[in-house]
Amino acid sequence: MDVSAFALIFGDGGIRARLDWRRVFDECAVEERYTRSRKELGELCTVWYSDESGRDTGYDHQGARPLRVSEVAITEASWPRARASTIAALRREYIRSGRPVQLALPGYRVGDEVVLLDGNHRAAAAYLADADTRLLLYILCGPTDSGMLPDLGHYSR
């Protein structure tokens, strides 16, 4: 997949992370990865953060630590209401259906890490439901500075 196709699929407002789309076209390539591994799903980094006390916080909070999909439940007690209800509803649906969960998600490569740009709720719900998940990742590979995506500042420390 090229960057134009990535933008066609994900560039219509679905990605709410503050990605610099102008730079994406000039400076990025797209890698595709398919997996059915729950471990790999759990290792993806989210755009959700924990503070020093284990509570949910913003990316710009002093001491904020990015959470992996496998770690999001540690902040569950402090999730915003919309996040909690969305994940709970998706989790119930994934368990109830009994069918494999198919996720096509955009990410951003930072070294060996992949930061999810969208689909954090769906990824967390599939992981928490222990669902049979088929994951197709479309991963932007480009500059790793916070000008491209503010979240990337947490990975250069």
Side-chain angles (χ1 to χ4, degrees), residues 42-95:
E43 289 174 350
L44 297 171
C45 298
T46 69
V47 290
W48 299 331
Y49 296 84
S50 170
D51 66 14
E52 303 82 13
S53 66
R55 294 186 51 79
D56 182 69
T57 193
Y59 76 92
D60 55 352
H61 182 272
Q62 180 74 19
R65 181 181 73 80
L67 296 173
R68 296 182 185 281
V69 168
S70 63
E71 300 173 311
V72 298
I74 66 172
T75 61
E76 187 172 4
S78 60
W79 284 349
R81 183 176 300 145
R83 182 186 310 164
S85 62
T86 300
I87 291 174
L90 287 167
R91 185 177 180 186
R92 283 190 305 273
E93 173 58 25
Y94 294 160
I95 291 168

CSV table of all heavy atoms in Angstrom, one decimal, residues 42-95:
chain,number,residue,atom,x,y,z
A,42,GLY,N,-1.4,-7.3,22.0
A,42,GLY,CA,-1.2,-6.7,23.3
A,42,GLY,C,0.1,-5.8,23.3
A,42,GLY,O,0.2,-4.9,24.2
A,43,GLU,N,1.0,-6.1,22.5
A,43,GLU,CA,2.3,-5.3,22.4
A,43,GLU,C,2.1,-3.9,21.7
A,43,GLU,O,3.0,-3.0,21.8
A,43,GLU,CB,3.4,-6.1,21.8
A,43,GLU,CG,3.9,-7.2,22.7
A,43,GLU,CD,4.9,-8.1,22.0
A,43,GLU,OE1,5.1,-7.9,20.8
A,43,GLU,OE2,5.5,-8.9,22.7
A,44,LEU,N,1.0,-3.7,21.0
A,44,LEU,CA,0.8,-2.5,20.3
A,44,LEU,C,0.7,-1.4,21.3
A,44,LEU,O,0.0,-1.5,22.4
A,44,LEU,CB,-0.4,-2.5,19.4
A,44,LEU,CG,-0.4,-3.5,18.3
A,44,LEU,CD1,-1.8,-3.6,17.6
A,44,LEU,CD2,0.7,-3.1,17.3
A,45,CYS,N,1.2,-0.2,21.0
A,45,CYS,CA,1.1,1.0,21.9
A,45,CYS,C,-0.2,1.7,21.6
A,45,CYS,O,-0.5,1.9,20.4
A,45,CYS,CB,2.3,1.9,21.8
A,45,CYS,SG,3.9,1.0,22.2
A,46,THR,N,-0.8,2.2,22.6
A,46,THR,CA,-2.0,3.0,22.4
A,46,THR,C,-1.7,4.5,22.5
A,46,THR,O,-0.5,4.9,22.8
A,46,THR,CB,-3.1,2.7,23.5
A,46,THR,OG1,-2.6,3.2,24.7
A,46,THR,CG2,-3.4,1.2,23.5
A,47,VAL,N,-2.6,5.3,22.3
A,47,VAL,CA,-2.5,6.8,22.5
A,47,VAL,C,-3.1,7.2,23.8
A,47,VAL,O,-3.6,8.3,24.0
A,47,VAL,CB,-3.0,7.6,21.3
A,47,VAL,CG1,-2.1,7.5,20.1
A,47,VAL,CG2,-4.5,7.3,21.0
A,48,TRP,N,-3.1,6.2,24.7
A,48,TRP,CA,-3.6,6.4,26.1
A,48,TRP,C,-2.5,6.3,27.0
A,48,TRP,O,-1.5,5.6,26.8
A,48,TRP,CB,-4.7,5.4,26.5
A,48,TRP,CG,-5.9,5.4,25.6
A,48,TRP,CD1,-6.4,6.5,24.9
A,48,TRP,CD2,-6.8,4.4,25.3
A,48,TRP,NE1,-7.6,6.2,24.2
A,48,TRP,CE2,-7.8,4.9,24.4
A,48,TRP,CE3,-6.8,3.0,25.6
A,48,TRP,CZ2,-8.8,4.1,23.9
A,48,TRP,CZ3,-7.8,2.2,25.1
A,48,TRP,CH2,-8.8,2.8,24.3
A,49,TYR,N,-2.6,7.1,28.1
A,49,TYR,CA,-1.4,7.2,29.1
A,49,TYR,C,-1.8,7.0,30.5
A,49,TYR,O,-3.0,7.2,30.9
A,49,TYR,CB,-0.8,8.6,28.9
A,49,TYR,CG,-0.3,8.8,27.5
A,49,TYR,CD1,-1.1,9.2,26.4
A,49,TYR,CD2,1.1,8.5,27.3
A,49,TYR,CE1,-0.5,9.3,25.2
A,49,TYR,CE2,1.6,8.6,26.0
A,49,TYR,CZ,0.8,9.0,24.9
A,49,TYR,OH,1.3,9.1,23.7
A,50,SER,N,-0.8,6.6,31.3
A,50,SER,CA,-1.0,6.5,32.7
A,50,SER,C,-0.1,7.5,33.4
A,50,SER,O,1.0,7.8,33.0
A,50,SER,CB,-0.6,5.1,33.1
A,50,SER,OG,-0.5,4.9,34.5
A,51,ASP,N,-0.6,8.0,34.5
A,51,ASP,CA,0.3,8.9,35.3
A,51,ASP,C,1.0,8.0,36.4
A,51,ASP,O,0.9,6.8,36.4
A,51,ASP,CB,-0.5,10.1,36.0
A,51,ASP,CG,-1.5,9.6,37.0
A,51,ASP,OD1,-1.4,8.5,37.5
A,51,ASP,OD2,-2.3,10.5,37.4
A,52,GLU,N,1.8,8.7,37.2
A,52,GLU,CA,2.6,7.9,38.2
A,52,GLU,C,1.8,7.1,39.2
A,52,GLU,O,2.2,6.1,39.7
A,52,GLU,CB,3.5,8.9,39.1
A,52,GLU,CG,4.4,9.8,38.2
A,52,GLU,CD,3.7,11.0,37.7
A,52,GLU,OE1,2.5,11.4,38.1
A,52,GLU,OE2,4.3,11.7,36.8
A,53,SER,N,0.5,7.4,39.4
A,53,SER,CA,-0.3,6.7,40.3
A,53,SER,C,-1.2,5.6,39.6
A,53,SER,O,-2.0,5.0,40.2
A,53,SER,CB,-1.3,7.7,41.0
A,53,SER,OG,-2.2,8.3,40.1
A,54,GLY,N,-1.0,5.5,38.3
A,54,GLY,CA,-1.8,4.5,37.5
A,54,GLY,C,-3.1,4.9,37.1
A,54,GLY,O,-3.9,4.1,36.7
A,55,ARG,N,-3.3,6.2,37.1
A,55,ARG,CA,-4.6,6.8,36.6
A,55,ARG,C,-4.4,7.2,35.1
A,55,ARG,O,-3.4,7.6,34.7
A,55,ARG,CB,-5.0,8.0,37.5
A,55,ARG,CG,-5.4,7.6,38.9
A,55,ARG,CD,-6.0,8.7,39.7
A,55,ARG,NE,-7.1,9.4,39.1
A,55,ARG,CZ,-8.3,9.0,39.0
A,55,ARG,NH1,-8.7,7.8,39.6
A,55,ARG,NH2,-9.3,9.7,38.5
A,56,ASP,N,-5.6,7.3,34.4
A,56,ASP,CA,-5.6,7.7,33.1
A,56,ASP,C,-5.2,9.2,33.0
A,56,ASP,O,-5.6,10.0,33.9
A,56,ASP,CB,-7.0,7.6,32.5
A,56,ASP,CG,-7.1,8.0,31.1
A,56,ASP,OD1,-6.5,7.3,30.2
A,56,ASP,OD2,-7.7,9.1,30.8
A,57,THR,N,-4.3,9.6,32.0
A,57,THR,CA,-3.9,11.0,31.9
A,57,THR,C,-3.7,11.3,30.4
A,57,THR,O,-3.7,10.4,29.6
A,57,THR,CB,-2.7,11.3,32.7
A,57,THR,OG1,-2.5,12.7,32.8
A,57,THR,CG2,-1.4,10.6,32.2
A,58,GLY,N,-3.5,12.5,30.1
A,58,GLY,CA,-3.2,12.9,28.7
A,58,GLY,C,-1.7,12.8,28.3
A,58,GLY,O,-0.8,12.7,29.2
A,59,TYR,N,-1.5,12.8,27.0
A,59,TYR,CA,-0.1,12.6,26.6
A,59,TYR,C,0.8,13.7,27.0
A,59,TYR,O,2.0,13.5,27.1
A,59,TYR,CB,-0.1,12.5,25.0
A,59,TYR,CG,-0.3,13.8,24.3
A,59,TYR,CD1,0.8,14.6,24.0
A,59,TYR,CD2,-1.5,14.3,24.0
A,59,TYR,CE1,0.7,15.8,23.3
A,59,TYR,CE2,-1.7,15.5,23.4
A,59,TYR,CZ,-0.6,16.3,23.0
A,59,TYR,OH,-0.8,17.5,22.4
A,60,ASP,N,0.2,14.9,27.3
A,60,ASP,CA,1.0,16.0,27.6
A,60,ASP,C,1.2,16.2,29.1
A,60,ASP,O,1.8,17.2,29.6
A,60,ASP,CB,0.4,17.3,27.0
A,60,ASP,CG,-1.0,17.5,27.4
A,60,ASP,OD1,-1.6,16.6,28.0
A,60,ASP,OD2,-1.5,18.6,27.0
A,61,HIS,N,0.7,15.3,29.9
A,61,HIS,CA,0.9,15.4,31.4
A,61,HIS,C,2.3,15.0,31.8
A,61,HIS,O,2.9,14.1,31.2
A,61,HIS,CB,-0.1,14.4,32.0
A,61,HIS,CG,-0.1,14.4,33.5
A,61,HIS,ND1,0.8,13.6,34.2
A,61,HIS,CD2,-0.8,15.1,34.4
A,61,HIS,CE1,0.6,13.9,35.5
A,61,HIS,NE2,-0.4,14.7,35.6
A,62,GLN,N,2.9,15.8,32.7
A,62,GLN,CA,4.2,15.5,33.2
A,62,GLN,C,4.3,14.1,33.7
A,62,GLN,O,3.5,13.7,34.6
A,62,GLN,CB,4.5,16.5,34.3
A,62,GLN,CG,5.9,16.3,34.9
A,62,GLN,CD,7.0,16.8,34.0
A,62,GLN,OE1,6.8,17.6,33.1
A,62,GLN,NE2,8.2,16.4,34.3
A,63,GLY,N,5.2,13.3,33.2
A,63,GLY,CA,5.3,11.9,33.7
A,63,GLY,C,4.4,10.9,33.0
A,63,GLY,O,4.4,9.7,33.4
A,64,ALA,N,3.7,11.3,32.0
A,64,ALA,CA,2.8,10.4,31.3
A,64,ALA,C,3.5,9.3,30.7
A,64,ALA,O,4.6,9.5,30.1
A,64,ALA,CB,2.0,11.1,30.3
A,65,ARG,N,3.0,8.1,30.8
A,65,ARG,CA,3.6,6.9,30.2
A,65,ARG,C,2.6,6.2,29.3
A,65,ARG,O,1.5,5.9,29.7
A,65,ARG,CB,4.0,5.9,31.4
A,65,ARG,CG,4.7,4.6,30.9
A,65,ARG,CD,5.0,3.7,32.0
A,65,ARG,NE,3.8,3.0,32.6
A,65,ARG,CZ,3.2,1.9,32.0
A,65,ARG,NH1,3.7,1.4,30.9
A,65,ARG,NH2,2.2,1.4,32.6
A,66,PRO,N,3.0,6.0,28.0
A,66,PRO,CA,2.1,5.4,27.1
A,66,PRO,C,1.8,3.9,27.5
A,66,PRO,O,2.7,3.2,28.0
A,66,PRO,CB,2.9,5.4,25.7
A,66,PRO,CG,4.3,5.7,26.0
A,66,PRO,CD,4.3,6.3,27.4
A,67,LEU,N,0.6,3.5,27.3
A,67,LEU,CA,0.2,2.2,27.6
A,67,LEU,C,0.1,1.3,26.4
A,67,LEU,O,-0.4,1.7,25.3
A,67,LEU,CB,-1.2,2.2,28.3
A,67,LEU,CG,-1.3,2.9,29.6
A,67,LEU,CD1,-2.8,3.1,30.0
A,67,LEU,CD2,-0.5,2.2,30.7
A,68,ARG,N,0.5,0.0,26.5
A,68,ARG,CA,0.3,-1.0,25.5
A,68,ARG,C,-1.2,-1.5,25.6
A,68,ARG,O,-1.8,-1.3,26.6
A,68,ARG,CB,1.2,-2.1,25.7
A,68,ARG,CG,2.7,-1.8,25.5
A,68,ARG,CD,3.6,-3.0,25.7
A,68,ARG,NE,5.0,-2.6,25.7
A,68,ARG,CZ,5.7,-2.3,24.6
A,68,ARG,NH1,5.0,-2.4,23.4
A,68,ARG,NH2,6.9,-2.0,24.6
A,69,VAL,N,-1.7,-2.1,24.6
A,69,VAL,CA,-3.0,-2.7,24.6
A,69,VAL,C,-3.2,-3.6,25.8
A,69,VAL,O,-4.2,-3.6,26.5
A,69,VAL,CB,-3.3,-3.4,23.2
A,69,VAL,CG1,-4.6,-4.2,23.3
A,69,VAL,CG2,-3.4,-2.4,22.1
A,70,SER,N,-2.1,-4.4,26.1
A,70,SER,CA,-2.2,-5.3,27.2
A,70,SER,C,-2.2,-4.7,28.5
A,70,SER,O,-2.5,-5.3,29.5
A,70,SER,CB,-1.0,-6.3,27.1
A,70,SER,OG,0.2,-5.6,27.3
A,71,GLU,N,-1.9,-3.4,28.6
A,71,GLU,CA,-1.9,-2.7,29.9
A,71,GLU,C,-3.0,-1.7,30.1
A,71,GLU,O,-3.1,-1.2,31.2
A,71,GLU,CB,-0.6,-1.8,29.9
A,71,GLU,CG,0.7,-2.6,29.8
A,71,GLU,CD,1.9,-1.6,29.7
A,71,GLU,OE1,1.9,-0.7,28.9
A,71,GLU,OE2,2.9,-1.8,30.5
A,72,VAL,N,-3.9,-1.5,29.2
A,72,VAL,CA,-4.9,-0.5,29.3
A,72,VAL,C,-5.8,-0.7,30.5
A,72,VAL,O,-6.3,0.3,31.1
A,72,VAL,CB,-5.8,-0.3,28.0
A,72,VAL,CG1,-4.9,0.2,26.9
A,72,VAL,CG2,-6.6,-1.5,27.7
A,73,ALA,N,-6.0,-1.9,30.9
A,73,ALA,CA,-6.9,-2.2,32.0
A,73,ALA,C,-6.4,-1.6,33.4
A,73,ALA,O,-7.2,-1.4,34.3
A,73,ALA,CB,-7.2,-3.7,32.2
A,74,ILE,N,-5.1,-1.3,33.5
A,74,ILE,CA,-4.6,-0.7,34.7
A,74,ILE,C,-5.2,0.6,35.0
A,74,ILE,O,-5.3,1.0,36.2
A,74,ILE,CB,-3.1,-0.7,34.8
A,74,ILE,CG1,-2.5,0.3,33.8
A,74,ILE,CG2,-2.5,-2.1,34.7
A,74,ILE,CD1,-1.0,0.5,34.0
A,75,THR,N,-5.7,1.3,34.0
A,75,THR,CA,-6.3,2.7,34.2
A,75,THR,C,-7.8,2.6,34.1
A,75,THR,O,-8.4,3.7,34.1
A,75,THR,CB,-5.7,3.7,33.2
A,75,THR,OG1,-6.0,3.3,31.9
A,75,THR,CG2,-4.2,3.9,33.4
A,76,GLU,N,-8.4,1.4,34.0
A,76,GLU,CA,-9.8,1.3,33.8
A,76,GLU,C,-10.7,2.1,34.8
A,76,GLU,O,-11.7,2.7,34.4
A,76,GLU,CB,-10.2,-0.2,33.8
A,76,GLU,CG,-11.6,-0.4,33.4
A,76,GLU,CD,-12.0,-1.9,33.2
A,76,GLU,OE1,-11.1,-2.7,33.5
A,76,GLU,OE2,-13.1,-2.2,32.8
A,77,ALA,N,-10.3,2.1,36.0
A,77,ALA,CA,-11.1,2.8,37.0
A,77,ALA,C,-11.2,4.3,36.8
A,77,ALA,O,-12.1,5.0,37.3
A,77,ALA,CB,-10.5,2.5,38.4
A,78,SER,N,-10.2,4.8,36.0
A,78,SER,CA,-10.2,6.3,35.8
A,78,SER,C,-10.5,6.6,34.3
A,78,SER,O,-10.3,7.8,33.9
A,78,SER,CB,-8.9,6.9,36.2
A,78,SER,OG,-7.8,6.3,35.5
A,79,TRP,N,-11.0,5.7,33.5
A,79,TRP,CA,-11.3,6.0,32.1
A,79,TRP,C,-12.4,7.0,32.0
A,79,TRP,O,-13.3,7.0,32.8
A,79,TRP,CB,-11.7,4.7,31.4
A,79,TRP,CG,-10.7,3.8,31.0
A,79,TRP,CD1,-9.3,3.9,31.1
A,79,TRP,CD2,-10.9,2.4,30.6
A,79,TRP,NE1,-8.7,2.8,30.7
A,79,TRP,CE2,-9.6,1.8,30.4
A,79,TRP,CE3,-12.0,1.7,30.3
A,79,TRP,CZ2,-9.5,0.5,29.9
A,79,TRP,CZ3,-11.9,0.4,29.9
A,79,TRP,CH2,-10.6,-0.2,29.7
A,80,PRO,N,-12.3,7.9,31.0
A,80,PRO,CA,-13.5,8.7,30.8
A,80,PRO,C,-14.7,7.9,30.5
A,80,PRO,O,-14.5,6.7,29.9
A,80,PRO,CB,-13.0,9.5,29.5
A,80,PRO,CG,-11.5,9.4,29.5
A,80,PRO,CD,-11.2,8.1,30.1
A,81,ARG,N,-15.8,8.4,30.8
A,81,ARG,CA,-17.1,7.6,30.6
A,81,ARG,C,-17.3,7.0,29.2
A,81,ARG,O,-17.6,5.9,29.0
A,81,ARG,CB,-18.3,8.4,31.0
A,81,ARG,CG,-19.6,7.6,31.0
A,81,ARG,CD,-20.8,8.4,31.4
A,81,ARG,NE,-20.5,8.8,32.8
A,81,ARG,CZ,-20.9,9.9,33.4
A,81,ARG,NH1,-21.6,10.8,32.7
A,81,ARG,NH2,-20.7,10.2,34.6
A,82,ALA,N,-17.0,7.9,28.2
A,82,ALA,CA,-17.2,7.4,26.8
A,82,ALA,C,-16.3,6.3,26.5
A,82,ALA,O,-16.7,5.3,25.8
A,82,ALA,CB,-16.9,8.6,25.9
A,83,ARG,N,-15.0,6.3,26.9
A,83,ARG,CA,-14.1,5.2,26.6
A,83,ARG,C,-14.6,3.9,27.3
A,83,ARG,O,-14.6,2.9,26.7
A,83,ARG,CB,-12.7,5.5,27.1
A,83,ARG,CG,-11.7,4.4,26.8
A,83,ARG,CD,-10.3,4.6,27.4
A,83,ARG,NE,-9.8,5.9,27.0
A,83,ARG,CZ,-8.7,6.5,27.7
A,83,ARG,NH1,-8.1,5.8,28.6
A,83,ARG,NH2,-8.3,7.7,27.3
A,84,ALA,N,-14.9,4.1,28.6
A,84,ALA,CA,-15.4,2.9,29.3
A,84,ALA,C,-16.6,2.2,28.7
A,84,ALA,O,-16.7,1.0,28.5
A,84,ALA,CB,-15.7,3.3,30.8
A,85,SER,N,-17.6,3.0,28.3
A,85,SER,CA,-18.8,2.5,27.7
A,85,SER,C,-18.6,1.9,26.3
A,85,SER,O,-19.1,0.8,26.0
A,85,SER,CB,-19.9,3.5,27.7
A,85,SER,OG,-19.6,4.6,26.9
A,86,THR,N,-17.7,2.5,25.5
A,86,THR,CA,-17.4,2.0,24.2
A,86,THR,C,-16.7,0.7,24.3
A,86,THR,O,-17.0,-0.3,23.6
A,86,THR,CB,-16.6,3.0,23.4
A,86,THR,OG1,-17.3,4.2,23.3
A,86,THR,CG2,-16.2,2.5,22.0
A,87,ILE,N,-15.7,0.6,25.1
A,87,ILE,CA,-14.9,-0.6,25.3
A,87,ILE,C,-15.8,-1.7,25.8
A,87,ILE,O,-15.8,-2.9,25.4
A,87,ILE,CB,-13.6,-0.4,26.1
A,87,ILE,CG1,-12.6,0.4,25.4
A,87,ILE,CG2,-13.0,-1.8,26.5
A,87,ILE,CD1,-11.4,0.8,26.2
A,88,ALA,N,-16.6,-1.4,26.8
A,88,ALA,CA,-17.5,-2.4,27.4
A,88,ALA,C,-18.5,-3.0,26.4
A,88,ALA,O,-18.7,-4.2,26.3
A,88,ALA,CB,-18.3,-1.9,28.6
A,89,ALA,N,-19.1,-2.1,25.5
A,89,ALA,CA,-20.0,-2.5,24.5
A,89,ALA,C,-19.3,-3.4,23.5
A,89,ALA,O,-19.8,-4.5,23.1
A,89,ALA,CB,-20.7,-1.3,23.9
A,90,LEU,N,-18.1,-3.0,23.0
A,90,LEU,CA,-17.4,-3.8,22.0
A,90,LEU,C,-17.0,-5.1,22.6
A,90,LEU,O,-17.1,-6.1,21.9
A,90,LEU,CB,-16.2,-3.0,21.6
A,90,LEU,CG,-16.4,-1.8,20.6
A,90,LEU,CD1,-15.2,-0.9,20.5
A,90,LEU,CD2,-16.9,-2.2,19.3
A,91,ARG,N,-16.5,-5.1,23.8
A,91,ARG,CA,-16.1,-6.4,24.4
A,91,ARG,C,-17.3,-7.4,24.5
A,91,ARG,O,-17.1,-8.5,24.2
A,91,ARG,CB,-15.6,-6.0,25.8
A,91,ARG,CG,-15.0,-7.2,26.6
A,91,ARG,CD,-14.4,-6.8,27.9
A,91,ARG,NE,-13.8,-7.9,28.6
A,91,ARG,CZ,-13.4,-7.9,29.8
A,91,ARG,NH1,-13.4,-6.7,30.5
A,91,ARG,NH2,-12.9,-8.9,30.4
A,92,ARG,N,-18.4,-6.9,25.0
A,92,ARG,CA,-19.6,-7.7,25.0
A,92,ARG,C,-20.0,-8.3,23.6
A,92,ARG,O,-20.3,-9.5,23.5
A,92,ARG,CB,-20.8,-7.0,25.6
A,92,ARG,CG,-20.8,-6.8,27.1
A,92,ARG,CD,-22.1,-6.3,27.6
A,92,ARG,NE,-22.6,-5.0,27.0
A,92,ARG,CZ,-22.2,-3.8,27.4
A,92,ARG,NH1,-21.4,-3.6,28.4
A,92,ARG,NH2,-22.7,-2.7,26.7
A,93,GLU,N,-19.9,-7.4,22.6
A,93,GLU,CA,-20.2,-7.9,21.3
A,93,GLU,C,-19.2,-8.9,20.8
A,93,GLU,O,-19.6,-9.9,20.2
A,93,GLU,CB,-20.2,-6.7,20.3
A,93,GLU,CG,-20.4,-7.0,18.8
A,93,GLU,CD,-21.6,-7.8,18.5
A,93,GLU,OE1,-22.6,-7.7,19.3
A,93,GLU,OE2,-21.6,-8.6,17.5
A,94,TYR,N,-17.9,-8.7,21.1
A,94,TYR,CA,-16.9,-9.7,20.6
A,94,TYR,C,-17.1,-11.0,21.3
A,94,TYR,O,-16.9,-12.1,20.7
A,94,TYR,CB,-15.5,-9.1,20.9
A,94,TYR,CG,-15.1,-7.9,20.1
A,94,TYR,CD1,-14.1,-7.1,20.5
A,94,TYR,CD2,-15.8,-7.5,18.9
A,94,TYR,CE1,-13.7,-5.9,19.8
A,94,TYR,CE2,-15.4,-6.4,18.2
A,94,TYR,CZ,-14.4,-5.6,18.6
A,94,TYR,OH,-14.1,-4.5,17.9
A,95,ILE,N,-17.4,-11.0,22.6
A,95,ILE,CA,-17.7,-12.3,23.3
A,95,ILE,C,-18.9,-12.9,22.8
A,95,ILE,O,-19.0,-14.1,22.5
A,95,ILE,CB,-17.7,-12.0,24.8
A,95,ILE,CG1,-16.4,-11.6,25.3
A,95,ILE,CG2,-18.3,-13.2,25.6
A,95,ILE,CD1,-16.4,-11.0,26.8
